[in-house]
Structures are given as C-alpha cells and as structure tokens.
Amino acid sequence: MSLIKSISGIRGTIGGSVGDGLSPVDIVKFTAAYSTLIRKISTNGSNTIVVGRDARMSGSMVQKLVVGTLQSMGFDVTDIGLASTPTTELAVTMEGAAGGIILTASHNPKQWNALKLLNQNGEFLNKAEGEEVLKIAEKDNFAFAEVTELGKVTEKDYTDKHIDNVLNLKLVDVEAIKKANFKVALDTVNSVGGIILPKLLERLGVKTVKTLYGEPTGDFQHNPEPLEKNLGDIMNLMKGGGYDVAFVVDPDVDRLAFICEDGKMYGEEYTLVTVADYVLSHTPGNTVSNLSSTRALRDVTNIYGGKYNAAAVGEVNVVTKMKETNAVIGGEGNGGVIYPESHYGRDALVGIALFLSHLAHKKMKVSELRATYPQYFIAKNRIDLEPSTDVDAILAKIKEAYKNEQINDIDGVKIDFADSWVHLRKSNTEPIIRIYSEASTMEKANEIAKQIQNLI
C-alpha cells in the first residue's frame, strides 16, 4: 500500500492501515486540514467548496467522506459529481467558491485515488500553501463546527457550462469544424471523458464519433496513462481506416494525446506544440512549458516573434511562469494544454477544440500536419542510487562539469546544447535521478543520457 503526501495534495492506494494507504481516516484528516487553510487564505467571502470526481471505483466512497468532512468544518459544498479536472477548476470560479477539491489520481491505476486541492481561482495551491496543509494535518490542528453551523450540500452538473466555455473561445471555429466533416475516434479509458467528450464533439458539429471504453465504470480496461504502449486498441482501430483523428485522454481529462489517421502516435509532446502554433498564428505572444518538455515549442514560438520561457516541473510552476511572462499559451509535454483565455489549468477539451479548428483551416491529414513541425525525440532514463547518496552534490558536480554550456538550475540541472538538451532531476520519493534528454534522433538522445550516466 502507498500513501504519498505532497504539496499538490494527497494520493494513495485504497485499503490498508491508517497512514499506509489512502484510508478513510487520512481522507478526513487532510480534507479538514485543507478546510482550515482555505478559510484563512480565501479572500472572496465565500463559504463554499466545489467537489468533483473522476469515475474511479473508489470515487463515490471518497466523495462521501470529503463532502461530509467539509460540512463538518462548516463549509457549504457544491457537489458537481462525475466531472473532469478542468470542469471542476472552472466550476470553482463560476460558483465564486472559496476553493475546490478534485478526487482523482489522474493517470494512476484504478487502485489509486487522490485529493487535488484548489484555491479560489480554481488553480492548484502553491508550494507554501501545500506545505501548510501538510503541517496542519500532521498536528491535527483543526476544529469542527457546532451542529447549528454545519454546511449544506447542493448538487450541480457543470458539463454543459464547461462545453459552453470552450465553444465561446474566439479561436474555436465551430463552422470550420462542421464544414470539415471530421470523423473522430475516442479512447476515454472508462472515466469521465466518456461523459463530456462525445457531447463536446457533437456541439462542435462532428457527426461521426466512435468511442472505445466510454462507459465511466472506473474499471480501466488498460493502463490509463495515455502512452503508446497502452493504446494498442485505439491505434489498431485507426489503422483500419475510416477516421481522421483519435483523441485519447487520461481518467480526469487534463492530458490529451492524438493518433494520426494511419494509426501512428502523433506524440504527446506535440499536443501543446500544435495547439500553440494555431494560437500564436492568431495571437502572437509568449509561451511556457516545463524544463522537461520538447524544444519544438521554443522553435514555433520564435517563428511568431514571441519569447519562450521554461518553468520548473509541475502545473502550478508553469501557471506561475505564464502569469509572470503574460504567456498566451503554455502547458506541459505530457499532453497538457493551458490556455488562459479559458482558464489557468490543463484542459483536454480546450486542446481538442483548438486542434480541430487548426486542422480544419490547414486542410491536411493529421500525419501531414505533424510532419510540418521540428522533429525531436525525448529519451527518459534514470539512475538508481543508494539511499545515503548525496544527490544534490552529484547535481552540483554535473553543473560544474558543463559550466561552459547554457544551464538552468531552477529545478535540478538542465544543460542546453546547440542541438540537444539533458535535464537531471532528483526524485522526491525515491533515491534516483531522472535523466530526460532530447535530440534530433532517439539514438542521439540516449547517447547524451549515457554520457551523463557515465559521468555520475
């Protein structure tokens, strides 16, 4: 059993002893700690917390515990039920709520669940706020409400409001999408994407939609991370012909992957690159992704005269950098698109609508569109260390060894070469160093990683 407490929330496997898995006691404790913090930091005068969840098998159980705890802390609850992560984020601002809790373990397998914690802007808590939640929980430093002050629960469905938000974006060209008469396949991995994505496509004017694993049972029929090794069924469907593009999402619908008309992966790193190309072609400006994301976003940004900036890994860090640099588009290389015109959160619905608009204007096959972008390959390696190893000392020596290259040390050490890069980060939970490298071929990317491994 596993329980991981971090500044971005608490996640763990269902079952086991208190403190060993995500037990009911842990759920109550961390919900109460979050309530204590949010009452202190919220400035909009609201007494409401929004709660939404993906379709995990444990979701209903966790939701009842979270909602009951929020009531016991004196908060009213807007329960939006089965909802994507971006839907919940939008609901917080639309409700004018004090905060929100998303019940999802994202791409983790079905035995996992998590509490993801939002502020009044529908954005994830920052590092200091997350650390404060952990401190409050550790000390059991919270007080429950008297019986006359218990919160009330209101149930609402925000599915259509989220879709309205997407369709109202200026760059979403519904008429062009309708005219293109796209045929689309989906893999929604037995979660909330199966509820909201067919409705989105219908309202975008897509008449032909084939959905694999659309029933939101939470009993995922394959590993839910949208990577090529997990997507054999939808790739085989596409190889059979008859569809222009396939969209694949994770259980909470904040990550988005494309599959070309010939059944080949588009590449999750290029989800953001392609959407950014479309956005920048209409609204030139700056972009942001994290340090471990493809250089192709920088290349595309330069074409339109904007400036690319890199952020530390983590959505909250990307959002912070986007606000600092007034970026018009940003996100992460795992298929996460953040478009401020909608909201500051990864949103697969926004990604789909902007991509289809772009594709409709380009009048290309998806594989042809992919070929228009710079070709890079990312290798993901790691080095296992002894628990006693001083990882920071190793990273400092790597930094010294490459001091004549362009170095970014805001999150580990990233070394930028003329035609490639390598990024080293220590794990927060294991004695390992993750080594991500990118070059024009996979062989070159792995060769760079091997050089670093040998040096270590």
Side-chain angles (χ1 to χ4, degrees):
M1 297 297 171
S2 298
L3 182 66
I4 300 173
K5 307 167 189 176
S6 72
I7 60 171
S8 59
I10 174 174
R11 62 188 170 103
T13 50
I14 298 299
S17 304
V18 175
D20 187 31
L22 188 61
S23 74
V25 174
D26 294 300
I27 293 167
V28 170
K29 181 169 69 172
F30 281 91
T31 301
Y34 165 77
S35 301
T36 303
L37 174 86
I38 213 71
R39 196 176 294 284
K40 183 168 67 173
I41 67 171
S42 178
T43 59
N44 62 6
S46 174
N47 192 51
T48 298
I49 302 291
V50 174
V51 177
R53 69 178 182 91
D54 70 14
R56 287 170 186 276
M57 299 164 75
S58 61
S60 176
M61 179 272 290
V62 176
Q63 177 262 350
K64 289 180 173 66
L65 289 166
V66 168
V67 169
T69 303
L70 291 171
Q71 288 181 273
S72 74
M73 293 295 292
F75 277 101
D76 295 327
V77 178
T78 298
D79 181 4
I80 65 171
L82 290 170
S84 74
T85 282
T87 306
T88 309
E89 292 168 346
L90 281 166
V92 171
T93 55
M94 290 179 179
E95 285 285 308
I101 300 180
I102 309 166
L103 310 179
T104 175
S106 192
H107 62 271
N108 291 108
K110 62 187 176 184
Q111 64 267 33
W112 288 78
N113 212 328
L115 279 61
K116 292 188 175 182
L117 311 175
L118 304 174
N119 62 22
Q120 67 188 40
N121 299 317
E123 299 165 14
F124 291 113
L125 301 183
N126 63 33
K127 182 179 180 181
E129 292 162 349
E131 289 175 344
E132 183 66 19
V133 170
L134 297 181
K135 290 178 183 177
I136 295 169
E138 184 178 344
K139 297 178 181 178
D140 291 337
N141 192 18
F142 35 79
F144 296 100
E146 301 291 336
V147 67
T148 56
E149 297 175 348
L150 297 176
K152 297 178 175 60
V153 180
T154 303
E155 295 181 356
K156 294 185 179 181
D157 186 343
Y158 263 84
T159 301
D160 288 334
K161 290 182 180 180
H162 185 179
I163 295 173
D164 289 341
N165 174 275
V166 174
L167 268 62
N168 286 333
L169 296 171
K170 291 180 181 179
L171 293 188
V172 174
D173 193 337
V174 177
E175 289 306 312
I177 294 171
K178 285 181 180 178
K179 188 176 179 181
N181 195 29
F182 291 124
K183 296 177 174 61
V184 174
L186 298 171
D187 180 345
T188 56
V189 71
N190 303 106
S191 193
V192 292
I195 298 172
I196 197 167
L197 294 189
K199 290 183 178 180
L200 170 71
L201 291 170
E202 180 182 4
R203 292 188 57 189
L204 285 171
V206 179
K207 295 179 180 178
T208 302
V209 179
K210 170 72 173 179
T211 304
L212 297 187
Y213 311 125
E215 191 68 26
T217 61
D219 187 9
F220 307 142
Q221 293 304 295
H222 60 76
N223 184 305
E225 189 165 15
L227 301 177
E228 180 173 358
K229 62 184 180 180
N230 303 323
L231 303 177
D233 291 345
I234 189 78
M235 292 173 72
N236 286 333
L237 174 67
M238 294 300 291
K239 288 175 184 175
Y243 298 96
D244 298 297
V245 64
F247 297 120
V248 182
V249 293
D250 60 344
D252 68 325
V253 201
D254 61 357
R255 287 175 61 175
L256 173 64
F258 308 145
I259 300 175
C260 301
E261 78 288 343
D262 57 4
K264 294 180 180 177
M265 292 295 296
Y266 193 86
E268 63 173 355
E269 287 286 336
Y270 286 82
T271 298
L272 174 59
V273 173
T274 306
V275 173
D277 180 29
Y278 177 61
V279 170
L280 291 170
S281 69
H282 292 82
T283 52
N286 300 328
T287 65
V288 174
S289 65
N290 68 41
L291 285 168
S292 288
S293 298
T294 181
R295 183 178 280 185
L297 180 61
R298 186 198 69 177
D299 295 349
V300 169
T301 306
N302 289 342
I303 290 172
Y304 293 103
K307 183 177 180 181
Y308 165 79
N309 288 279
V313 173
E315 181 174 331
V316 66
N317 298 317
V318 173
V319 168
T320 299
K321 181 62 72 173
M322 288 179 68
K323 291 179 178 179
E324 287 176 1
T325 60
N326 198 29
V328 296
I329 184 76
E332 298 182 305
N334 60 9
V337 174
I338 302 174
Y339 186 44
E341 286 295 313
S342 174
H343 64 117
Y344 279 105
R346 294 180 299 173
D347 192 331
L349 278 75
V350 169
I352 288 170
L354 292 175
F355 177 81
L356 287 178
S357 299
H358 188 39
L359 190 64
H361 291 160
K362 287 290 187 179
K363 295 181 171 61
M364 294 178 173
K365 291 181 180 179
V366 174
S367 60
E368 293 171 342
L369 179 61
R370 174 64 179 82
T372 66
Y373 298 110
Q375 185 80 326
Y376 293 109
F377 296 85
I378 291 182
K380 298 181 179 182
N381 293 279
R382 59 185 270 178
I383 292 182
D384 295 276
L385 306 168
E386 295 297 324
S388 59
T389 302
D390 188 342
V391 178
D392 289 329
I394 291 175
L395 294 180
K397 289 180 179 179
I398 294 293
K399 184 178 173 182
E400 175 64 23
Y402 289 93
K403 62 184 179 182
N404 293 327
E405 303 292 343
Q406 184 178 336
I407 291 178
N408 188 322
D409 60 0
I410 62 173
D411 183 11
V413 174
K414 182 174 183 179
I415 308 162
D416 266 297
F417 305 103
D419 58 354
S420 60
W421 57 258
V422 61
H423 184 205
L424 294 81
R425 294 179 69 235
K426 67 176 181 178
S427 169
N428 293 323
T429 58
E430 304 172 85
I432 66 172
I433 295 177
R434 302 188 190 280
I435 304 175
Y436 287 13
S437 51
E438 183 179 63
S440 57
T441 67
M442 186 59 78
E443 290 75 18
K444 288 182 180 178
N446 278 311
E447 181 181 331
I448 297 165
K450 189 164 184 61
Q451 290 174 4
I452 295 292
Q453 288 172 318
N454 291 339
L455 188 58
I456 292 174

